[in-house]
Amino acid sequence: MSDPNQLLNQLREVFFQEAEEGLEVAEAGLIELSNGTFDLEALNSVFRAIHSIKGGSGTFGLTRLIEFAHTAEAILDALRSQDNPPATEVVDGLLLSVDHLRAMLAAERDGSDLDSARTQDLQAQLQVLLSLVQGGAPSSATAAPVTAAPAAPAATFATEWSIEFLPHTDLMAFGNDPILLLRELGSLGPCRVEAILDRLPSFEQLEPDSIHLGWRINLSAAVEEAQIRDVFAWVESETDLNIKRVEPAAGRPATEPAPITAPTAPKAIPSAARAMAAAQPQQHREASSIRVSTDKVDALINLVGELVITQSMLSQIEKEVQIPQLDRLRDGLAQLKRNTRELQDSVMQIRMLPIKFVFSRFPRIVRDLTTKLGKKVDLQILGEDTELDKTLLEGVADPLVHIVRNALDHGLETPEERLAAGKPETGSLRIEAYHQGGDVHIKVSDNGRGLNLAGIFKKAVQVGLVKAEDRLSDAEIVDLLFAPGFSTAAQVSDISGRGVGLDVARRNIQNLGGTVEVDSKPGKGTTFSIRLPLTMAILDGQLVQVGSQIYIIPLVAILESLLMGSAHIRNIAGQQEVYRLRDEPVPVIRLYDIFGVPAERKTLPNSLLVVVESGGKKAGILVDDLLDQQQVVIKSLESNYGSVGGVSGATILGDGTVALILDVPGVVSLANRQARRANDEWGTRAARSQAGTASGAGRSKA
Amino acid sequence: MAVTTLNEASTLVLPTSLDIAGSRDLQAALRPLLDSQDVAHLDASKVERVDAAGLQLLTAFVRRARSAEVSVVWRGVSAELKAAAAMTGLTFHLGLEA
């Protein structure tokens, strides 16, 4: 018998997951609505999402959520009876309420404290919006469900005022300070203040005792225009003042009564027809998918992995035994191999999700940031149905957000700068994803100013990454962007400066087995290209032998394998051995030295070198022999052994032996550390022997 | 009147009063930060009084710095400056977002 509490908890968890997804849908719908076209389907999808959250909250007794969702739902319902797109402030308010619902859900889920002041504040704002949407005359009936919220009654009768306050340049010369006026205005009711900087001259040309700022203020207060004018009475002659009452969304017939019945009904079911229309697409969606926990899927994938190993073990035996029925056995094994591979592919598909889950957040980010930065950007999103593994999807989200913020902040110019450069004032940001050659490619391109290579170099010198006299290629300078310590992000109060730097973004992508490249043309724009494997559970690898050990090098990291000719081998001062590959020095890494295992071949001439690439640099790994190339199932070592340097995991080969999978960047950094140590020792020895010679010479002179 | 000082870490320490009276001196003190460096460090922890002229000057400076690709790093910001920036809708323009 299952425990009823356990069942309830499971259902609660499902509700939270669905609610989160619902909020994503609502957010996407609201962004669509903010485009200025009336889209009933988008409105319905937002309504459905909020309505479901309210219903679920009722089931689990989450009263605060019910009240909050109810107000948002009432606004949406009122909007559905109109033929016009909602006003920007209505969409803004609804987006804020989506954010807050998310926070409320998280708080309920974790049992953490909720910012109830924020809830009340937003609730009051939503009430104002509701009366606005319903025609400006809030009825007591609409306010009824939320009267419990203390802030609500005052706001219920508030009017929305739009005030443009443009002081004359000499306002401050008369001893008046706009800050005091704004403070006074704030005492009337909640204000949203936006500074107007159009008239502000450049820093050099600014006369600091003249005032060139202006303000646009949205005031929600139960006041008359005269009361607002009173605030500015003293400065009337030194100010241009424009006060307007914000009317409800235009185009709505004045005679049509506001649909006040819907929000007041305790169960908030609008009309039967609408509710059915709302419910239909959802039923369809429920029928086409089921919710399964990731743990169950991972257990299944693990089992299939074991099956692949067993199958390759049987294939190995087939090569070694001689029995009369061998042909039939061989056919059976071939079929087993085919079926196993297909089964594996199908199971892997279960973990695949469309990249839409990550891309869907970008319209909101772009909208918020461009508003803040005063930029105009046309966002294009392509290939959002491209699928990749859930773990990869989650891992790539933060780096992508960082890259997109970076493009908006640094890449794209302001409309003035663009016009001055002869470009259209609206910039373009294109985010696309597609499959190519077994990998997922994600590109973020802007048509902004491009990278300022001289500026990057200068900054790198300043933070001590390179010396002013260093000569770097363009590609090497671009690579500095990803160097740890390049970004001043942690200190700068900037848009892309919050959160991780580009170095962390690249490291996260590399940890997922991916790469990042940057392509930039001055004045034309910048493209960040990310390449990721489809999945992290299997890997195409090259098996190599070092002594009695077999290692696996991921194929994606290998550039080529070659037999070393003695003429190309150089021993640079100290201990660093290099192989000259088409005039490019490639440091040689002796794997047996790093891992401390015996090896067959220790001399370089006529030995095999596997040339790999890590972080844009080449390195050669010395191996005894090259074996097969094959797909291997990755088994994590970390759960049993912790993190092992230079090794990303292990696999079981067909003959049952365990082979370690090399973490190429890790191996390269281990080798570099070893080379540095050897170099230091060599340097100390050389210095000592030089000192000895010098003192000997001194003595002989004396 | 010297309204600002450069301490050891080349940080411009803003005066206690960011107002119209001292705005010309402050403008003169800020100007060199745009010419010589890629990062301008400002310390506003001692600011006690702010008026619109002071905010306007800082806003023009931060804007100019952004277009010249000079990063403005706030070493400290007093509650008074934060409140005045919030009230005038200039928090973002001054790069004072948390």
Side-chain angles (χ1 to χ4, degrees):
Chain A
M1 281 289 281
S2 64
D3 177 1
N5 273 339
Q6 195 187 350
L7 183 65
L8 194 65
N9 282 339
Q10 278 176 359
L11 288 173
R12 236 173 96 100
E13 191 50 36
V14 170
F15 161 67
F16 284 128
Q17 285 174 14
E18 282 182 348
E20 245 169 57
E21 287 167 19
L23 287 176
E24 275 174 30
V25 170
E27 193 169 45
L30 286 169
I31 296 289
E32 261 178 59
L33 288 172
S34 69
N35 291 343
T37 48
F38 184 72
D39 183 343
L40 184 63
E41 191 36 53
L43 196 55
N44 276 335
S45 72
V46 182
F47 180 87
R48 278 197 299 269
I50 303 291
H51 182 70
S52 302
I53 290 170
K54 195 181 88 170
S57 304
T59 310
F60 296 103
L62 312 174
T63 39
R64 288 181 300 188
L65 267 158
I66 305 173
E67 284 175 11
F68 194 82
H70 176 82
T71 319
E73 188 195 47
I75 295 174
L76 289 160
D77 193 41
L79 287 173
R80 294 205 298 184
S81 65
Q82 301 179 349
D83 299 328
N84 296 305
T88 315
E89 56 264 41
V90 176
V91 177
D92 284 346
L94 288 169
L95 279 170
L96 283 178
S97 62
V98 165
D99 290 344
H100 193 62
L101 278 170
R102 197 171 276 138
M104 290 175 100
L105 281 164
E108 293 287 0
R109 193 177 198 169
D110 315 336
S112 55
D113 283 343
L114 184 74
D115 184 354
S116 56
R118 171 90 178 136
T119 310
Q120 284 171 15
D121 185 32
L122 276 172
Q123 185 89 289
Q125 286 184 33
L126 286 182
Q127 281 295 336
V128 173
L129 290 178
L130 178 60
S131 56
L132 188 75
V133 172
Q134 290 179 334
S139 77
S140 56
T142 55
V146 288
T147 41
T156 306
F157 299 100
T159 309
E160 189 87 354
W161 294 97
S162 164
I163 304 153
E164 203 172 59
F165 166 34
L166 297 170
H168 296 173
T169 50
D170 57 357
L171 177 91
M172 293 195 74
F174 297 100
N176 298 304
D177 187 353
I179 295 185
L180 300 178
L181 298 169
L182 291 168
R183 184 176 296 155
E184 182 77 15
L185 206 55
S187 68
L188 297 179
C191 284
R192 207 172 62 219
V193 181
E194 184 194 340
I196 302 171
L197 304 184
D198 299 352
R199 305 182 305 169
L200 183 63
S202 71
F203 176 75
E204 285 84 357
Q205 286 161 351
L206 176 70
E207 283 297 323
D209 38 18
S210 305
I211 195 82
H212 304 275
L213 296 173
W215 287 272
R216 216 168 276 127
I217 306 124
N218 265 49
L219 167 71
S220 309
V223 292
E224 295 300 325
E225 186 177 334
Q227 284 169 274
I228 300 171
R229 289 208 175 270
D230 277 350
V231 172
F232 297 93
W234 287 100
V235 295
E236 216 169 3
S237 57
E238 290 102 32
T239 300
D240 289 335
L241 196 61
N242 189 356
I243 303 175
K244 271 194 302 200
R245 189 192 168 111
V246 180
E247 296 299 330
R252 178 192 165 85
T255 49
E256 188 190 316
I260 52 168
T261 49
T264 51
K267 296 211 166 139
I269 295 170
S271 71
R274 214 174 257 159
M276 275 177 66
Q280 266 167 3
Q282 208 165 15
Q283 275 171 359
H284 175 72
R285 207 176 54 205
E286 278 162 9
S288 66
S289 70
I290 52 162
R291 193 173 287 276
V292 183
S293 86
T294 341
D295 288 348
K296 285 186 191 168
V297 176
D298 286 347
L300 186 60
I301 289 176
N302 213 16
L303 268 178
V304 174
E306 297 291 339
L307 185 63
V308 172
I309 292 166
T310 315
Q311 174 266 317
S312 69
M313 207 184 296
L314 288 173
S315 299
Q316 188 74 29
I317 297 169
E318 172 227 316
K319 288 180 193 158
E320 293 161 7
V321 293
Q322 292 292 329
I323 44 172
Q325 298 86 355
L326 195 61
D327 279 347
R328 279 177 57 202
L329 178 65
R330 206 166 270 160
D331 287 349
L333 283 174
Q335 197 169 349
L336 177 65
K337 187 177 178 179
R338 227 174 14 250
N339 293 346
T340 311
R341 190 48 54 88
E342 274 173 25
L343 179 62
Q344 190 179 27
D345 285 348
S346 308
V347 172
M348 299 308 292
Q349 283 298 323
I350 300 178
R351 276 190 60 94
M352 301 293 247
L353 290 172
I355 200 158
K356 197 185 287 168
F357 283 94
V358 171
F359 281 6
S360 62
R361 68 189 69 185
F362 291 128
R364 174 84 189 269
I365 289 175
V366 171
R367 181 181 187 272
D368 288 357
L369 276 190
T370 47
T371 313
K372 276 186 178 174
L373 294 165
K375 294 182 179 177
K376 291 186 176 174
V377 177
D378 177 24
L379 172 69
Q380 285 175 285
I381 292 183
L382 300 164
E384 55 184 1
D385 291 324
T386 309
E387 292 191 328
L388 77 163
D389 187 277
K390 187 171 183 284
T391 311
L392 288 159
L393 194 72
E394 284 162 359
V396 81
D398 283 346
L400 258 185
V401 167
H402 186 79
I403 289 170
V404 168
R405 279 173 172 273
N406 221 51
L408 290 167
D409 192 16
H410 302 304
L412 288 158
E413 313 93 326
T414 59
E416 300 82 46
E417 285 169 324
R418 291 183 64 86
L419 287 173
K423 294 168 152 185
E425 63 172 351
T426 303
S428 123
L429 180 67
R430 187 184 158 104
I431 306 171
E432 62 178 322
Y434 55 91
H435 283 149
Q436 194 178 63
D439 290 326
V440 178
H441 292 245
I442 305 168
K443 283 190 173 171
V444 179
S445 351
D446 66 64
N447 66 353
R449 56 169 73 95
L451 295 175
N452 171 2
L453 293 184
I456 296 171
F457 184 73
K458 205 169 142 196
K459 198 163 185 177
V461 172
Q462 209 169 44
V463 296
L465 285 172
V466 288
K467 295 191 186 72
E469 60 272 19
D470 286 350
R471 291 282 160 267
L472 300 186
S473 67
D474 285 359
E476 283 169 324
I477 295 176
V478 170
D479 211 49
L480 289 171
L481 279 180
F482 296 105
F486 178 81
S487 168
T488 52
Q491 304 133 36
V492 184
S493 306
D494 212 347
I495 298 300
S496 48
R498 270 174 292 157
V500 297
L502 273 179
D503 61 322
V504 180
R506 177 157 84 173
R507 202 160 53 242
N508 288 351
I509 291 170
Q510 283 173 341
N511 287 344
L512 299 171
T515 59
V516 193
E517 281 168 19
V518 189
D519 184 29
S520 173
K521 291 190 179 62
K524 300 267 187 222
T526 308
T527 300
F528 279 81
S529 308
I530 299 170
R531 199 180 65 185
L532 289 171
L534 275 178
T535 166
M536 291 181 77
I538 46 174
L539 169 120
D540 283 310
Q542 167 71 56
L543 276 56
V544 298
Q545 182 130 29
V546 177
S548 61
Q549 297 289 321
I550 293 175
Y551 295 100
I552 292 155
I553 306 178
L555 268 188
V556 65
I558 299 180
L559 296 174
E560 59 187 293
S561 305
L562 49 90
L563 203 61
M564 285 186 275
S566 53
H568 295 280
I569 299 165
R570 294 275 181 285
N571 212 333
I572 297 184
Q575 297 294 313
Q576 183 72 61
E577 295 163 308
V578 295
Y579 183 81
R580 286 199 77 80
L581 176 69
R582 293 181 286 277
D583 287 337
E584 192 181 345
V586 175
V588 175
I589 297 172
R590 292 173 183 261
L591 208 55
Y592 64 86
D593 235 6
I594 290 175
F595 289 145
V597 294
E600 269 176 27
R601 304 189 70 95
K602 296 195 174 177
T603 53
L604 298 189
N606 295 323
S607 288
L608 285 164
L609 190 72
V610 180
V611 183
V612 293
E613 191 178 47
S614 160
K617 294 204 172 77
K618 293 191 176 84
I621 299 176
L622 174 69
V623 300
D624 288 350
D625 201 4
L626 288 171
L627 309 171
D628 281 352
Q629 284 181 3
Q630 69 178 64
Q631 268 198 342
V632 295
V633 179
I634 303 170
K635 299 270 175 191
S636 166
L637 282 179
E638 288 191 18
S639 44
N640 293 318
Y641 297 100
S643 175
V644 184
V647 175
S648 63
T651 195
I652 302 165
L653 298 174
D655 61 0
T657 52
V658 173
L660 296 176
I661 303 168
L662 297 187
D663 161 32
V664 172
V667 167
V668 171
S669 79
L670 280 176
N672 283 344
R673 225 173 297 156
Q674 209 170 46
R676 261 201 305 277
R677 256 204 315 273
N679 238 337
D680 290 347
E681 280 168 22
W682 182 84
T684 321
R685 268 207 312 276
R688 234 184 259 143
S689 80
Q690 224 169 26
T693 325
S695 63
R699 269 200 305 275
S700 67
K701 247 188 189 171
Chain B
M1 177 183 64
V3 292
T4 52
T5 48
L6 284 170
N7 65 14
E8 310 78 64
S10 293
T11 301
L12 188 68
V13 182
L14 302 181
T16 49
S17 263
L18 273 186
D19 58 11
I20 189 162
S23 56
R24 284 197 182 271
D25 288 344
L26 180 59
Q27 188 177 30
L30 286 167
R31 194 171 289 130
L33 299 186
L34 293 168
D35 301 327
S36 53
Q37 303 163 38
D38 280 352
V39 184
H41 296 277
L42 297 180
D43 181 352
S45 54
K46 294 193 174 63
V47 174
E48 290 169 9
R49 216 192 82 75
V50 195
D51 70 7
L55 284 178
Q56 174 180 263
L57 184 64
L58 284 180
T59 305
F61 172 75
V62 173
R63 261 182 129 195
R64 180 73 187 88
R66 280 183 182 161
S67 66
E69 304 212 327
V70 173
S71 306
V72 176
V73 178
W74 291 98
R75 289 285 190 209
V77 182
S78 69
E80 284 79 358
L81 177 58
K82 276 186 193 160
M87 197 175 295
T88 48
L90 290 169
T91 305
F92 169 75
H93 299 287
L94 287 169
L96 288 176
E97 288 195 317

